[in-house]
Amino acid sequence: MAAWSLRLHGVGNASAVELGSAMASLERDGRPWLTIDCGAEGLTAFEAAYGQLPDAVFITHVHLDHVAGLERLFVSSYFDPQRRGRVRLYVPAPVVPLLQRRVADYPNVLAEGGANFWDAFQLVPVGEAFWHDGIRLEVFPVRHHWPDTAFGLRLRGSVVWTGDTRPIPEMLARYADAGELVAHDCGLHGNPSHTGLDDLEREYPEALRQRMVLYHYASAADASAMAARGHRVARPGELLGLAEPTAMQASPP
């Protein structure tokens, strides 16, 4: 039986540089298995933790604190013959054109010419679910900034990552119904794109809140204030143990 965990590379909002950009990796037996997002500070933390760069990344949305590290990941992958075209990017299908415009559409990605941004990667557009390393993960829309631009991720029985979102009780009633740890966007104060602590306490039942760990907040002081109200608050670099997934697994060939 494999040991599963979630390593938090960064837990801050876009302005909280000292907390790192919100980014995490699912670990299997102590090694990075699937990374969630690729912010600049988060990518630096990933490399410090593992001594390498990610082999597989799921993108929740394309705000720059979640994708700014892709340029560095492109350079490292493109110029490594062992990695070029092999680094998997799992991207929700509606997000693909946004990612193209946001990151990949810069003209002449190398000054020398002859390269396309996607040459460095294996782009895998995904719908409601996708397979990674023989295990099925689920994808669901969240409420962030604009419809169909941001998505969460579920490894059934193990963990749910909401990504940036307002409260989504209807989604978590479906996608967090198997005892998963729920990593949820939450700051001390909410706004039209992010959950605040009052929103969280109003919208979710106590039993679900007990399974939550809160990230994407503004400062260490805000983290202390949320913890003082009885909530589990994520810390940069923290490693969280996970239950063995109950997600569907592919049969051996």
Side-chain angles (χ1 to χ4, degrees), residues 9-214:
H9 303 303
V11 298
N13 66 22
S15 300
V17 176
E18 70 282 1
L19 298 173
S21 44
M23 177 174 162
S25 288
L26 285 162
E27 291 185 357
R28 188 176 190 180
D29 292 331
R31 301 301 303 160
W33 184 74
L34 178 65
T35 298
I36 305 170
D37 285 335
C38 192
E41 293 89 4
L43 190 61
T44 298
F46 180 103
E47 192 168 15
Y50 302 120
Q52 63 182 75
L53 291 174
D55 294 323
V57 180
F58 174 79
I59 299 296
T60 64
H61 67 294
V62 300
H63 280 156
L64 286 178
D65 54 321
H66 296 262
V67 297
L70 285 178
E71 183 173 9
R72 179 154 38 116
L73 191 58
F74 162 81
V75 171
S76 69
S77 302
Y78 184 82
F79 288 106
D80 184 344
Q82 300 303 313
R83 286 171 55 83
R84 184 190 294 185
R86 294 182 174 87
V87 176
R88 285 197 167 194
L89 290 187
Y90 297 103
V91 184
V95 174
V96 172
L98 305 176
L99 184 59
Q100 171 68 24
R101 294 199 296 268
R102 189 76 155 176
V103 177
D105 224 6
Y106 193 86
N108 223 30
V109 65
L110 293 180
E112 300 85 354
N116 305 299
F117 180 81
W118 296 113
D119 292 342
F121 302 105
Q122 181 184 359
L123 173 64
V124 184
V126 301
E128 295 181 354
F130 65 95
W131 293 89
H132 174 63
D133 195 25
I135 298 179
R136 186 177 186 267
L137 296 103
E138 297 168 78
V139 177
F140 55 94
V142 299
R143 295 179 57 206
H144 180 59
H145 203 69
W146 200 253
D148 290 327
T149 63
F151 293 80
L153 182 70
R154 179 199 204 187
L155 178 60
R156 190 182 191 281
S158 190
V159 65
V160 173
W161 182 271
T162 67
D164 293 7
T165 189
R166 293 286 297 158
I168 44 170
E170 70 289 349
M171 286 297 174
L172 294 189
R174 175 178 176 181
Y175 290 101
D177 63 350
E180 295 89 352
L181 174 74
V182 179
H184 200 295
D185 172 354
C186 189
L188 189 58
H189 306 289
N191 62 44
S193 289
H194 295 279
T195 301
L197 196 54
D198 289 343
D199 302 319
L200 193 90
E201 294 174 344
R202 181 184 65 249
E203 296 287 345
Y204 294 116
E206 173 67 17
L208 181 56
R209 296 200 306 270
Q210 288 298 314
R211 291 194 275 127
M212 288 183 175
V213 58
L214 309 183

